[in-house]
Amino acid sequence: QVQLVESGGGLVQAGGSLRLSCAASGRTFSTNAMGWFRQALGKEREFVATLTSSGRGTDYAGSVKGRFTVSRDNAKNALYLQMNSLKPEDTAVYYCAARLVPFGSRASDDYEYWGQGTQVTVSS
């Protein structure tokens, strides 16, 4: 069983930065690939970034590539999402998710565990 708790969301002006964190419980974190997804009001959940269990492999949605950086600290059971140059269209609830395999995925159905989400609002 893996429990995930996101934090770090908030209100920021366009062009600003936020760092999201995801704290994971359980003994398998270092073997889990992790992902970040987001869901804007009235829209479907979409892929943001994914990271292999080792942290050496990453993949990003085109809309965030070059602005967002995903990382993890397996010693702390923590996942991060550094978000720079934020835009109003980045406004959404951001979710972290865990897979029971080491390889990342863009598909939300591939993730077995989800956090409750944290709201990010970017004002223009």
Side-chain angles (χ1 to χ4, degrees), residues 12-18 83-87 122:
V12 64
Q13 288 188 333
S17 298
L18 280 176
M83 305 186 295
N84 298 328
S85 302
L86 283 161
K87 305 175 181 180
V122 184

Side-chain angles (χ1 to χ4, degrees), residues 9-123:
L11 174 64
V12 64
Q13 288 188 333
S17 298
L18 280 176
R19 188 194 196 203
L20 304 184
S21 298
C22 175
S25 66
R27 299 181 179 179
T28 64
F29 182 76
S30 63
T31 65
N32 301 137
M34 300 295 295
W36 285 101
F37 292 78
R38 66 187 182 186
Q39 187 168 17
L41 193 62
K43 296 187 177 181
E44 293 187 353
R45 187 172 298 185
E46 66 174 0
F47 166 75
V48 175
T50 187
L51 185 69
T52 59
S53 59
S54 67
R56 289 192 287 268
T58 59
D59 187 24
Y60 296 91
S63 59
V64 307
K65 197 168 186 178
R67 300 188 297 123
F68 291 11
T69 302
V70 61
S71 62
R72 65 191 296 162
D73 185 337
N74 286 345
K76 296 182 178 180
N77 277 18
L79 176 73
Y80 306 102
L81 185 68
Q82 178 66 44
M83 305 186 295
N84 298 328
S85 302
L86 283 161
K87 305 175 181 180
E89 51 264 43
D90 294 319
T91 295
V93 177
Y94 283 71
Y95 299 89
C96 68
R99 297 192 73 192
L100 292 177
V101 296
F103 309 107
S105 171
R106 292 185 167 213
S108 59
D109 288 348
D110 287 343
Y111 292 81
E112 287 82 9
Y113 298 101
W114 292 82
Q116 84 289 347
T118 185
Q119 176 71 46
V120 171
T121 303
V122 184
S123 64

